[in-house]
Amino acid sequence: MSTIEERVKKIVIEQLGVKEDEVTTNASFVDDLGADSLDTVELVMALEEEFETEIPDEEAEKITTVQQAVDYIKAHSKD
Amino acid sequence: MSKRRVVVTGMGIISPVGNDIATAWQNIVEGRSGIGPVTSFDASAYATRIAGEVRDFDPVDAYFAGIDAPDDERRAIAKDFKRMDPFIHYGIVAGTHALRQSGLVVDERNAARVGIAAGAGIGGLHTIESTALELAARGPRKVSPFYVPSSIINMVAGNLSIYHGIKGPNIALVSACTTATHNIGMAMRLIQYGDADAMLAGGSEFATTPTAMAGFCSAKAMSTRNDDPTHASRPWDVGRDGFLLSNGAGMLMLEEYEFAKARGANILAELTGFGMSGDAYHITAPSGDGAELAMRNALHDAHLQPSDVQYVNAHGTSTPVGDLGEAKAIRSVFGEHATQKGKFAVSSTKSVTGHLLGAAGGVEAIFSIMALREGVLPPTMNLVDVDPEVAALGMDLVPNQAEKADIDIAMSNSFGFGGTNGSLVFRRA
């Protein structure tokens, strides 16, 4: 079973079309990984899907890095 | 004011008979049908279960066909392409191939003088259908933020502009099965009038989707010759029973003559005439006289007499009413000249490709240009038993076998639902 961090990184790689080594823990989706506003919305939707959770819009706006996504999932996921 | 001259310098095709010009043209000349069983969804409950699908097509590989691209660029395109309806893939790839063939380098100096006119007859139906189902099943929060930009019709023009830095006029005319012809014709006008020096123009389509197929089936517009797909499209034959729905794209690179000449471009043909008309008759049935008017307007625009034309690539979709109406319209426009075998011929390449709807005028413009360049009239396949009313008109329909012919002028016709007509005239370069 993959860790939450591995699963988040996998989704980021798929959604943003970036290389694995670019997806560092502190990478910012917009500044480091080239995401635009639509990409980030879709990324959050993919995270919701993977972790069977619902991320409210006001929370989603605060998730701007890989680490923040991992932290949010750890705090809220049913897994 | 004398009009600026417009020439064709590049062509790109994605189709059921091939995804490059050479392959598609060879299949057209040899009459090798692109029609087969529908594979994009389970069509077992449909009256028509056959169509012309694009085969062996990976959009990213096709986009980069024949060029070396860095991994980063491939990854970026692959990411974008995941969020696009197939009709957008087809249009982008065909447009990119046309641009590359032309050799035109779009840079800071000329970007504002290069434009795009590319539409679709129906557009992102595949994406619209699946999103509607998703919405019904899972609610609005599950609808992708890319839903709208992945399905709307002007996204072929939009994405081509983004990928190639093309900053001139960016439009997407929508007129059912006349879409590509109208986009090519209007692109010609924009160049003639000085709005642009070069235009990518044409159309694309991916309409073999569950609702579109069901709608065309209910309208009894399509052939039900399911057990014999390669012989199902048979324009002017007594056994014709409707069109075959096909996917793909056809795009031309058009340039103002002096602009093309100055950069040493290889000129493939000249686009000398464009005519349009409306039927004022019925939402789906053609009037006949609308087709006539479009052809007459195109001849007038090209400053040609009917007897100057040697080949007409017909709309010829294989419907009982449409085929007869068009044949009569052609006979009426071209008069006795139309009966002079060796001087005039009409054929329908839809007998091989099926009907690409909004892309049809694009691929058929390409086949018309190839006929001029190669001196070969592509055949009307499956024309075994000519409709007596059509036969009585006395025209060479190029039945079942390509013909060699040294021709200078070719016309390409497109007619669409709503009663929208367009004709283009090409001259050999």
Side-chain angles (χ1 to χ4, degrees):
Chain A
M1 184 74 189
S2 316
T3 66
I4 285 177
E5 188 168 327
E6 283 164 355
R7 288 160 71 192
V8 167
K9 283 186 174 177
K10 186 163 176 281
I11 287 172
V12 170
I13 291 164
E14 277 170 20
Q15 290 292 323
L16 302 184
V18 288
K19 280 187 284 195
E20 195 174 345
D21 58 12
E22 293 176 272
V23 187
T24 58
T25 309
N26 292 315
S28 155
F29 302 135
V30 174
D31 296 333
D32 301 321
L33 303 178
D36 63 19
S37 61
L38 300 182
D39 289 323
T40 54
V41 174
E42 199 180 54
L43 178 61
V44 168
M45 289 171 69
L47 292 170
E48 289 182 331
E49 193 84 354
E50 169 73 15
F51 296 100
E52 294 176 28
T53 183
E54 199 154 294
I55 306 175
D57 288 352
E58 58 274 20
E59 293 294 328
E61 282 165 21
K62 294 178 200 156
I63 302 174
T64 63
T65 66
V66 176
Q67 185 62 51
Q68 286 166 354
V70 171
D71 291 346
Y72 183 89
I73 302 296
K74 279 183 178 164
H76 296 86
S77 172
K78 293 170 198 146
D79 290 17
Chain B
M1 179 184 103
S2 72
K3 290 176 196 162
R4 305 208 303 169
R5 291 171 66 186
V6 178
V7 294
V8 181
T9 57
M11 307 189 288
I13 191 168
I14 302 298
S15 80
V17 295
N19 303 328
D20 63 87
I21 300 290
T23 305
W25 177 244
Q26 188 177 356
N27 284 325
I28 287 294
V29 170
E30 293 172 9
R32 211 171 292 128
S33 172
I35 308 300
V38 171
T39 63
S40 57
F41 69 96
D42 176 9
S44 54
Y46 286 64
T48 298
R49 300 182 289 279
I50 52 177
E53 296 178 330
V54 169
R55 297 181 189 88
D56 308 320
F57 179 78
D58 175 273
V60 179
D61 286 346
Y63 181 86
F64 290 108
I67 64 160
D68 283 325
D71 281 353
D72 287 356
E73 203 183 330
R74 280 189 86 92
R75 241 194 331 273
I77 293 281
K79 174 193 157 197
D80 286 359
F81 277 17
K82 277 198 292 185
R83 289 101 171 229
M84 289 178 194
D85 192 90
F87 93 89
I88 304 178
H89 294 152
Y90 298 159
I92 290 174
V93 172
T96 298
H97 290 180
L99 174 64
R100 287 205 197 113
Q101 187 193 6
S102 78
L104 176 64
V105 178
V106 181
D107 57 24
E108 276 310 308
R109 285 172 302 127
N110 64 20
R113 302 293 303 160
V114 184
I116 305 161
I122 302 183
L125 202 50
H126 168 74
T127 303
I128 293 167
E129 284 176 22
S130 56
T131 305
L133 292 171
E134 185 91 353
L135 173 67
R138 306 175 70 203
R141 289 193 82 251
K142 297 298 179 190
V143 171
S144 165
F146 293 98
Y147 165 55
V148 174
S150 69
S151 56
I152 55 180
I153 285 183
N154 69 302
M155 280 304 183
V156 171
N159 281 299
L160 278 169
S161 148
I162 293 164
Y163 290 158
H164 301 298
I166 295 171
K167 297 181 177 175
N170 195 282
I171 58 171
L173 301 188
V174 174
S175 46
C177 307
T178 314
T179 292
T181 293
H182 279 158
N183 279 287
I184 292 167
M186 291 308 292
M188 173 196 188
R189 290 284 185 267
L190 292 178
I191 294 171
Q192 286 176 329
Y193 200 76
D195 290 84
D197 292 326
M199 294 284 295
L200 274 173
S204 65
E205 205 76 79
F206 178 86
T208 58
T209 77
T211 67
M213 286 283 288
F216 284 128
C217 281
S218 297
K220 306 206 182 307
M222 294 195 296
S223 171
T224 55
R225 200 180 282 260
N226 295 302
D227 53 353
D228 191 11
T230 61
H231 298 106
S233 185
R234 37 199 320 122
W236 301 304
D237 187 86
V238 287
R240 69 190 187 276
D241 69 334
F243 72 85
L244 282 301
L245 188 58
S246 293
N247 300 327
M251 295 285 293
L252 301 183
M253 184 81 232
L254 304 178
E255 298 184 49
E256 192 271 323
Y257 173 65
E258 297 295 343
F259 179 85
K261 208 172 73 171
R263 67 179 193 83
N266 180 28
I267 293 169
L268 304 174
E270 182 169 358
L271 175 54
T272 61
F274 173 46
M276 298 175 277
S277 71
D279 278 356
Y281 179 64
H282 187 266
I283 52 170
T284 59
S287 67
D289 63 349
E292 228 180 284
L293 182 58
M295 287 186 268
R296 289 190 198 283
N297 286 341
L299 288 174
H300 179 260
D301 187 46
H303 304 291
L304 291 174
Q305 297 302 313
S307 58
D308 296 326
V309 177
Q310 293 104 18
Y311 172 63
V312 175
N313 186 294
H315 186 59
T317 60
S318 186
T319 63
V321 177
D323 286 8
L324 178 60
E326 183 180 14
K328 285 179 174 169
I330 292 169
R331 178 67 173 78
S332 172
V333 169
F334 293 95
E336 283 305 311
H337 172 65
T339 65
Q340 306 293 303
K341 189 167 163 58
K343 292 182 177 171
F344 186 85
V346 183
S347 72
S348 170
T349 46
K350 286 193 183 78
S351 59
V352 179
T353 62
H355 188 359
L356 283 79
L357 306 187
V363 303
E364 287 155 25
I366 290 169
F367 300 147
S368 301
I369 292 165
M370 290 304 288
L372 291 169
R373 292 181 62 74
E374 304 287 317
V376 173
L377 305 177
T380 304
M381 297 306 290
N382 308 318
L383 189 48
V384 178
D385 202 354
V386 183
D387 180 331
E389 275 193 85
V390 177
L393 300 171
M395 301 189 293
D396 178 7
L397 303 170
V398 199
N400 307 310
Q401 192 98 50
E403 290 172 18
K404 280 202 175 305
D406 204 20
I407 58 173
D408 291 312
I409 305 285
M411 176 182 279
S412 178
N413 285 340
S414 298
F415 315 128
F417 280 5
T420 174
N421 311 302
S423 297
L424 298 169
V425 177
F426 295 94
R427 180 191 291 275
R428 184 166 68 172

